[in-house]
Amino acid sequence: MDIAAHLSAKLKALRQARGWSLTLAAEKTGVSKAMLGQIERNESSPTVATLWKIATGLNVPFSVFLQSGEPPERPVFDPQNSDMVVVPLFPYDEQLRFDLFSIMLAPGALSESSPHDSGVIEHVTVISGALDMQVQGKWQTLRAGEGLRFAGDEAHGYRNSGPERAHFHSLIHYP
């Protein structure tokens, strides 16, 4: 699956299904009209943080952008020059209302996440390496086997200050 082409088509389809102009989509997502247009024209790949903003503004689960409907392929979101690789383990489940992702964060990488929709709860479990998490403005380090549950509807961040890739799972629960 060509992830950039998939993101382009999915964004355009979701926006048009709502009857939103690019201007309105920019207002709702906090992503500039120019950037949204570039993504829709497949001229630019969004970062994970930008894609989260778009998903939140459109009120859809993040994994909607990663699902191709072509099993058994497991899409990977790894935009150019990205230090963060996201693989959906369990795409959004309508009945249970969650996504589960496997995420790799390169040494020195930082990903800041804007608040998700109200009531979203995130569960992070470190599989290998160490992961610094910023929740409520404070950083804390999680090591392999440790986890953290927090309100995803507040700004938060992920940082790898260690020498090896940090591998973690993120379960996002939607109210």
mmCIF file of all heavy atoms in Angstrom, residues 81-85 103-111 128-132 158-168:
data_model
loop_
_atom_site.group_PDB
_atom_site.id
_atom_site.type_symbol
_atom_site.label_atom_id
_atom_site.label_comp_id
_atom_site.label_asym_id
_atom_site.label_seq_id
_atom_site.Cartn_x
_atom_site.Cartn_y
_atom_site.Cartn_z
ATOM 1 N N ASN A 81 11.726 11.159 6.587
ATOM 2 C CA ASN A 81 12.533 11.814 7.626
ATOM 3 C C ASN A 81 11.903 11.716 9.003
ATOM 4 O O ASN A 81 12.133 12.562 9.850
ATOM 5 C CB ASN A 81 12.794 13.281 7.264
ATOM 6 C CG ASN A 81 13.469 13.399 5.923
ATOM 7 O OD1 ASN A 81 14.375 12.650 5.600
ATOM 8 N ND2 ASN A 81 13.001 14.348 5.122
ATOM 9 N N SER A 82 11.087 10.706 9.231
ATOM 10 C CA SER A 82 10.433 10.566 10.526
ATOM 11 C C SER A 82 11.237 9.644 11.426
ATOM 12 O O SER A 82 11.800 8.650 10.973
ATOM 13 C CB SER A 82 9.034 10.004 10.364
ATOM 14 O OG SER A 82 8.468 9.752 11.629
ATOM 15 N N ASP A 83 11.225 9.951 12.688
ATOM 16 C CA ASP A 83 11.878 9.119 13.677
ATOM 17 C C ASP A 83 10.859 8.269 14.422
ATOM 18 O O ASP A 83 11.183 7.631 15.407
ATOM 19 C CB ASP A 83 12.649 9.979 14.676
ATOM 20 C CG ASP A 83 13.878 10.623 14.056
ATOM 21 O OD1 ASP A 83 14.461 10.007 13.143
ATOM 22 O OD2 ASP A 83 14.242 11.732 14.477
ATOM 23 N N MET A 84 9.602 8.304 13.964
ATOM 24 C CA MET A 84 8.531 7.570 14.617
ATOM 25 C C MET A 84 7.832 6.676 13.595
ATOM 26 O O MET A 84 7.391 7.149 12.556
ATOM 27 C CB MET A 84 7.540 8.557 15.236
ATOM 28 C CG MET A 84 6.435 7.922 16.035
ATOM 29 S SD MET A 84 5.364 9.205 16.749
ATOM 30 C CE MET A 84 5.217 8.611 18.416
ATOM 31 N N VAL A 85 7.758 5.396 13.897
ATOM 32 C CA VAL A 85 7.079 4.436 13.029
ATOM 33 C C VAL A 85 5.882 3.890 13.798
ATOM 34 O O VAL A 85 6.029 3.419 14.924
ATOM 35 C CB VAL A 85 8.027 3.290 12.624
ATOM 36 C CG1 VAL A 85 7.290 2.251 11.781
ATOM 37 C CG2 VAL A 85 9.240 3.826 11.884
ATOM 38 N N ILE A 103 4.612 1.165 18.322
ATOM 39 C CA ILE A 103 5.327 2.376 17.916
ATOM 40 C C ILE A 103 6.815 2.228 18.223
ATOM 41 O O ILE A 103 7.191 1.768 19.302
ATOM 42 C CB ILE A 103 4.753 3.615 18.633
ATOM 43 C CG1 ILE A 103 3.252 3.733 18.333
ATOM 44 C CG2 ILE A 103 5.507 4.882 18.228
ATOM 45 C CD1 ILE A 103 2.525 4.789 19.135
ATOM 46 N N MET A 104 7.639 2.638 17.251
ATOM 47 C CA MET A 104 9.090 2.666 17.419
ATOM 48 C C MET A 104 9.521 4.128 17.366
ATOM 49 O O MET A 104 9.134 4.857 16.441
ATOM 50 C CB MET A 104 9.780 1.887 16.309
ATOM 51 C CG MET A 104 9.415 0.416 16.270
ATOM 52 S SD MET A 104 10.104 -0.525 17.627
ATOM 53 C CE MET A 104 11.740 -0.787 17.028
ATOM 54 N N LEU A 105 10.309 4.539 18.350
ATOM 55 C CA LEU A 105 10.797 5.910 18.423
ATOM 56 C C LEU A 105 12.322 5.875 18.430
ATOM 57 O O LEU A 105 12.934 5.241 19.293
ATOM 58 C CB LEU A 105 10.258 6.585 19.689
ATOM 59 C CG LEU A 105 10.326 8.089 19.794
ATOM 60 C CD1 LEU A 105 9.517 8.763 18.681
ATOM 61 C CD2 LEU A 105 9.801 8.552 21.150
ATOM 62 N N ALA A 106 12.938 6.537 17.456
ATOM 63 C CA ALA A 106 14.389 6.525 17.302
ATOM 64 C C ALA A 106 15.081 7.278 18.443
ATOM 65 O O ALA A 106 14.479 8.168 19.060
ATOM 66 C CB ALA A 106 14.769 7.163 15.970
ATOM 67 N N PRO A 107 16.339 6.959 18.724
ATOM 68 C CA PRO A 107 17.094 7.704 19.736
ATOM 69 C C PRO A 107 17.099 9.201 19.399
ATOM 70 O O PRO A 107 17.279 9.585 18.242
ATOM 71 C CB PRO A 107 18.501 7.118 19.640
ATOM 72 C CG PRO A 107 18.304 5.743 19.090
ATOM 73 C CD PRO A 107 17.147 5.876 18.140
ATOM 74 N N GLY A 108 16.846 10.027 20.406
ATOM 75 C CA GLY A 108 16.841 11.471 20.225
ATOM 76 C C GLY A 108 15.542 12.036 19.684
ATOM 77 O O GLY A 108 15.373 13.241 19.600
ATOM 78 N N ALA A 109 14.588 11.182 19.333
ATOM 79 C CA ALA A 109 13.328 11.648 18.738
ATOM 80 C C ALA A 109 12.367 12.182 19.795
ATOM 81 O O ALA A 109 12.357 11.722 20.938
ATOM 82 C CB ALA A 109 12.661 10.529 17.958
ATOM 83 N N LEU A 110 11.581 13.147 19.375
ATOM 84 C CA LEU A 110 10.557 13.754 20.223
ATOM 85 C C LEU A 110 9.288 13.877 19.404
ATOM 86 O O LEU A 110 9.323 14.320 18.253
ATOM 87 C CB LEU A 110 11.000 15.153 20.684
ATOM 88 C CG LEU A 110 9.936 16.032 21.352
ATOM 89 C CD1 LEU A 110 9.537 15.462 22.711
ATOM 90 C CD2 LEU A 110 10.451 17.455 21.507
ATOM 91 N N SER A 111 8.171 13.473 19.979
ATOM 92 C CA SER A 111 6.876 13.645 19.341
ATOM 93 C C SER A 111 5.932 14.269 20.352
ATOM 94 O O SER A 111 5.681 13.700 21.413
ATOM 95 C CB SER A 111 6.309 12.304 18.862
ATOM 96 O OG SER A 111 5.037 12.489 18.277
ATOM 97 N N SER A 128 10.478 -2.377 24.777
ATOM 98 C CA SER A 128 11.939 -2.416 24.898
ATOM 99 C C SER A 128 12.484 -0.993 24.865
ATOM 100 O O SER A 128 11.847 -0.082 24.335
ATOM 101 C CB SER A 128 12.565 -3.263 23.782
ATOM 102 O OG SER A 128 12.310 -2.694 22.516
ATOM 103 N N GLY A 129 13.675 -0.838 25.434
ATOM 104 C CA GLY A 129 14.265 0.490 25.528
ATOM 105 C C GLY A 129 13.623 1.279 26.664
ATOM 106 O O GLY A 129 13.032 0.709 27.579
ATOM 107 N N ALA A 130 13.751 2.588 26.576
ATOM 108 C CA ALA A 130 13.163 3.477 27.577
ATOM 109 C C ALA A 130 12.448 4.601 26.849
ATOM 110 O O ALA A 130 12.868 5.024 25.766
ATOM 111 C CB ALA A 130 14.240 4.036 28.500
ATOM 112 N N LEU A 131 11.374 5.077 27.447
ATOM 113 C CA LEU A 131 10.552 6.119 26.850
ATOM 114 C C LEU A 131 10.271 7.186 27.890
ATOM 115 O O LEU A 131 9.824 6.871 28.992
ATOM 116 C CB LEU A 131 9.235 5.518 26.343
ATOM 117 C CG LEU A 131 8.215 6.483 25.764
ATOM 118 C CD1 LEU A 131 8.720 7.044 24.434
ATOM 119 C CD2 LEU A 131 6.875 5.787 25.574
ATOM 120 N N ASP A 132 10.558 8.434 27.537
ATOM 121 C CA ASP A 132 10.193 9.557 28.396
ATOM 122 C C ASP A 132 8.799 10.008 27.977
ATOM 123 O O ASP A 132 8.540 10.211 26.788
ATOM 124 C CB ASP A 132 11.167 10.726 28.228
ATOM 125 C CG ASP A 132 12.600 10.359 28.581
ATOM 126 O OD1 ASP A 132 12.788 9.536 29.498
ATOM 127 O OD2 ASP A 132 13.512 10.902 27.943
ATOM 128 N N TYR A 158 6.133 12.290 23.784
ATOM 129 C CA TYR A 158 6.933 11.073 23.818
ATOM 130 C C TYR A 158 8.350 11.460 23.413
ATOM 131 O O TYR A 158 8.547 12.157 22.417
ATOM 132 C CB TYR A 158 6.420 10.047 22.802
ATOM 133 C CG TYR A 158 4.929 9.851 22.801
ATOM 134 C CD1 TYR A 158 4.106 10.659 22.024
ATOM 135 C CD2 TYR A 158 4.342 8.856 23.568
ATOM 136 C CE1 TYR A 158 2.736 10.482 22.014
ATOM 137 C CE2 TYR A 158 2.969 8.676 23.561
ATOM 138 C CZ TYR A 158 2.174 9.493 22.779
ATOM 139 O OH TYR A 158 0.818 9.314 22.775
ATOM 140 N N ARG A 159 9.338 10.993 24.169
ATOM 141 C CA ARG A 159 10.731 11.329 23.858
ATOM 142 C C ARG A 159 11.601 10.114 24.142
ATOM 143 O O ARG A 159 11.392 9.408 25.119
ATOM 144 C CB ARG A 159 11.161 12.514 24.724
ATOM 145 C CG ARG A 159 12.597 12.965 24.514
ATOM 146 C CD ARG A 159 12.929 14.162 25.384
ATOM 147 N NE ARG A 159 12.928 13.783 26.795
ATOM 148 C CZ ARG A 159 12.834 14.648 27.805
ATOM 149 N NH1 ARG A 159 12.716 15.941 27.569
ATOM 150 N NH2 ARG A 159 12.853 14.229 29.048
ATOM 151 N N ASN A 160 12.570 9.908 23.260
ATOM 152 C CA ASN A 160 13.539 8.840 23.476
ATOM 153 C C ASN A 160 14.897 9.490 23.708
ATOM 154 O O ASN A 160 15.547 9.927 22.768
ATOM 155 C CB ASN A 160 13.590 7.894 22.274
ATOM 156 C CG ASN A 160 14.556 6.745 22.493
ATOM 157 O OD1 ASN A 160 15.255 6.686 23.497
ATOM 158 N ND2 ASN A 160 14.607 5.835 21.544
ATOM 159 N N SER A 161 15.316 9.550 24.953
ATOM 160 C CA SER A 161 16.611 10.142 25.274
ATOM 161 C C SER A 161 17.685 9.069 25.443
ATOM 162 O O SER A 161 18.821 9.379 25.801
ATOM 163 C CB SER A 161 16.511 11.011 26.533
ATOM 164 O OG SER A 161 15.972 10.268 27.610
ATOM 165 N N GLY A 162 17.317 7.812 25.156
ATOM 166 C CA GLY A 162 18.270 6.715 25.292
ATOM 167 C C GLY A 162 19.039 6.444 24.006
ATOM 168 O O GLY A 162 18.764 7.032 22.959
ATOM 169 N N PRO A 163 19.980 5.505 24.055
ATOM 170 C CA PRO A 163 20.835 5.194 22.897
ATOM 171 C C PRO A 163 20.218 4.189 21.919
ATOM 172 O O PRO A 163 20.740 3.987 20.831
ATOM 173 C CB PRO A 163 22.086 4.599 23.541
ATOM 174 C CG PRO A 163 21.574 3.947 24.787
ATOM 175 C CD PRO A 163 20.447 4.831 25.268
ATOM 176 N N GLU A 164 19.119 3.539 22.307
ATOM 177 C CA GLU A 164 18.503 2.550 21.420
ATOM 178 C C GLU A 164 17.049 2.921 21.128
ATOM 179 O O GLU A 164 16.461 3.735 21.838
ATOM 180 C CB GLU A 164 18.575 1.147 22.041
ATOM 181 C CG GLU A 164 17.798 1.039 23.350
ATOM 182 C CD GLU A 164 17.946 -0.320 24.015
ATOM 183 O OE1 GLU A 164 19.055 -0.639 24.463
ATOM 184 O OE2 GLU A 164 16.934 -1.031 24.094
ATOM 185 N N ARG A 165 16.510 2.326 20.079
ATOM 186 C CA ARG A 165 15.110 2.584 19.737
ATOM 187 C C ARG A 165 14.209 2.206 20.901
ATOM 188 O O ARG A 165 14.437 1.190 21.562
ATOM 189 C CB ARG A 165 14.698 1.747 18.530
ATOM 190 C CG ARG A 165 15.051 2.373 17.193
ATOM 191 C CD ARG A 165 14.443 1.550 16.098
ATOM 192 N NE ARG A 165 13.994 2.096 14.870
ATOM 193 C CZ ARG A 165 13.708 3.336 14.524
ATOM 194 N NH1 ARG A 165 13.836 4.282 15.364
ATOM 195 N NH2 ARG A 165 13.291 3.658 13.334
ATOM 196 N N ALA A 166 13.213 3.019 21.137
ATOM 197 C CA ALA A 166 12.197 2.699 22.142
ATOM 198 C C ALA A 166 11.020 2.077 21.403
ATOM 199 O O ALA A 166 10.540 2.616 20.405
ATOM 200 C CB ALA A 166 11.755 3.953 22.884
ATOM 201 N N HIS A 167 10.592 0.917 21.860
ATOM 202 C CA HIS A 167 9.437 0.244 21.279
ATOM 203 C C HIS A 167 8.347 0.225 22.342
ATOM 204 O O HIS A 167 8.588 -0.224 23.465
ATOM 205 C CB HIS A 167 9.823 -1.178 20.864
ATOM 206 C CG HIS A 167 8.687 -1.962 20.285
ATOM 207 N ND1 HIS A 167 8.649 -3.324 20.312
ATOM 208 C CD2 HIS A 167 7.545 -1.570 19.656
ATOM 209 C CE1 HIS A 167 7.546 -3.744 19.727
ATOM 210 N NE2 HIS A 167 6.857 -2.695 19.322
ATOM 211 N N PHE A 168 7.169 0.727 21.990
ATOM 212 C CA PHE A 168 6.072 0.738 22.947
ATOM 213 C C PHE A 168 4.749 0.510 22.239
ATOM 214 O O PHE A 168 4.634 0.655 21.031
ATOM 215 C CB PHE A 168 6.063 2.034 23.770
ATOM 216 C CG PHE A 168 5.866 3.307 22.982
ATOM 217 C CD1 PHE A 168 4.618 3.918 22.906
ATOM 218 C CD2 PHE A 168 6.939 3.924 22.353
ATOM 219 C CE1 PHE A 168 4.443 5.102 22.198
ATOM 220 C CE2 PHE A 168 6.769 5.105 21.644
ATOM 221 C CZ PHE A 168 5.524 5.703 21.567
#
